[in-house]
Amino acid sequence: MEQLTNELSEISFGEQIGFRKAEEGFATKAIHVGQEPELWNCRAVVPLISLATTYKQFAPAQHAGFEYSRSGNPTRSVLETCLASLDNGKYALTFASGLGAQTAIISTLKTGDVIITGDDVYGGTNRLFRNLAVNMGMEVIFVDMTDVSNLEKAMKDNVKLVWLETPTNPSMKVIDIQKISDFVHKNSEAFVVVDNTFLSAYFQRPLELGADVVAYSLTKYMNGHADVVMGSIATSNEKIYERLKFYQNAAGIVPSPFDCYLVNRSLKTLSLRMERHFKTGMAIAKYLEAHEKVEKVLHPALKSHPQYETTLKQTYGHSGVFSFYLRDANLEKSTKFLQSLKIFMIAESLGGFESLVELPSIMTHASVPEDQRKELGINDGLIRVSVGLEDAKDLIADFDDAFKQI
Ligand code: PLP
């Protein structure tokens, strides 16, 4: 033992150049003192950020619920538990992005399975289905789901997933979740997934309307501070949950504990933020609807919206995102208008505290094939707005000034 100890004691670089010998055992102390896992039960009112990648076990394969941070992490569990409760579901899982959550969902399917999806979904979802899902040997059918008879016509054997986004992006079509879910469950074994990113669990809860899974880009309203990219699912179906949980660990597309902490914190103000987004967004939508340089406003909570009644039936309000057509617009005019705005920033994404505008035809929906864009009315005059939490009067004045420039 003594011989071994002598062999291991090195002369440090400092000693070699005349410094005193560093304290022995320093590294061991730095690694272990005050870090005992048993101590971390401090009754803090804010859940701790647990960055540990692994967890001390009582005996081999006997652990206290966590063994390795990809498989399970305490901060992530805190968030997932909260997310499940907001959607009144039994389970929730988080992923490294909204598209990561969607990848997990399509990975539960196999070659030969058929996906029916709304025709007007987020550009990245469209790209995921058209490329990844098709490459995995699945068939993908795009359908306008505002009329359930379109879904009926598209139904065939092997439909395993029906995917919808409501309100749709960027056309703001509203789809009757209960009607679609009832139809799918009566006529197939498929499960229904609703991407609820645009409204958040505060304004719409698809599981209560018959959907099997609700999916989110938490990057948007649920986090709301434009500083985290993350996705999630919630469900009460144990079988689906187990398959997705297996995938979360097996594929490893998990979010970081720090990001989980941030989203969990943001959920504390979700209801307040959503109320304000709704109120300010409505004021701006009404202002735009009355403006001579605006051809049409697409906002589900306006009485002029074609699915206004469905909106009232299935939601508790609307967020700050909506679209409008500039009158007689082309790319040049829309660009000039957007560049004239001073508070609204030209940027992709939505749902944060900051107001954003974008041109879906060449930004978020550029990856949607041109003929499909044409069919959906995504032209160079269509502007999508994400109304933030600034003062409504300032935002309206910003639009007013920009209109004077075109
Ligand atoms: N779903 C919707 C409706 C979205 O708008 C987005 C992104 O913009 C996504 C999913 C993808 O989410 P993420 O960017 O977090 O991967």
Side-chain angles (χ1 to χ4, degrees), residues 21 25 50 54 63 113 142 144 171 225 276 278 292 294-295 306 359 365 373 387:
K21 187 173 171 54
S50 173
T54 193
H63 55 78
D113 286 350
F142 290 83
D144 176 356
S171 312
H225 291 70
R276 178 72 177 262
F278 184 24
E292 58 185 5
V294 172
E295 193 183 314
L359 210 51
H365 289 66
R373 280 206 308 268
V387 173

Side-chain angles (χ1 to χ4, degrees), residues 70-119:
R70 170 167 34 76
S71 331
N73 169 282
T75 315
R76 198 168 88 211
S77 287
V78 163
L79 171 62
E80 290 173 345
T81 304
C82 191
L83 287 171
S85 82
L86 294 184
D87 263 296
N88 291 327
K90 282 193 189 152
Y91 317 100
L93 291 166
T94 51
F95 297 87
S97 68
L99 280 178
Q102 300 186 6
T103 302
I105 291 168
I106 62 167
S107 299
T108 63
L109 307 182
K110 56 182 192 324
T111 303
D113 286 350
V114 178
I115 300 172
I116 300 185
T117 172
D119 57 352

Side-chain angles (χ1 to χ4, degrees), residues 148 167 247:
V148 75
Y247 188 84

Side-chain angles (χ1 to χ4, degrees), residues 23-147:
E23 186 188 2
E24 282 194 13
F26 184 90
T28 307
K29 278 198 303 183
I31 291 167
H32 291 291
V33 175
Q35 316 291 304
E36 293 81 0
E38 294 78 7
L39 290 178
W40 296 353
N41 187 10
C42 58
R43 297 167 63 109
V45 297
V46 176
L48 303 184
I49 307 175
S50 173
L51 297 172
T53 53
T54 193
Y55 306 86
K56 186 180 174 188
Q57 306 203 1
F58 300 112
Q62 284 179 36
H63 55 78
F66 299 99
E67 48 191 326
Y68 183 61
S69 192
R70 170 167 34 76
S71 331
N73 169 282
T75 315
R76 198 168 88 211
S77 287
V78 163
L79 171 62
E80 290 173 345
T81 304
C82 191
L83 287 171
S85 82
L86 294 184
D87 263 296
N88 291 327
K90 282 193 189 152
Y91 317 100
L93 291 166
T94 51
F95 297 87
S97 68
L99 280 178
Q102 300 186 6
T103 302
I105 291 168
I106 62 167
S107 299
T108 63
L109 307 182
K110 56 182 192 324
T111 303
D113 286 350
V114 178
I115 300 172
I116 300 185
T117 172
D119 57 352
D120 187 20
V121 288
Y122 166 58
T125 305
N126 186 305
R127 184 177 53 204
L128 181 84
F129 286 153
R130 276 184 193 279
N131 294 278
L132 264 71
V134 169
N135 288 348
M136 286 160 78
M138 295 160 203
E139 185 188 351
V140 181
I141 303 171
F142 290 83
V143 160
D144 176 356
M145 299 231 196
T146 50
D147 184 348

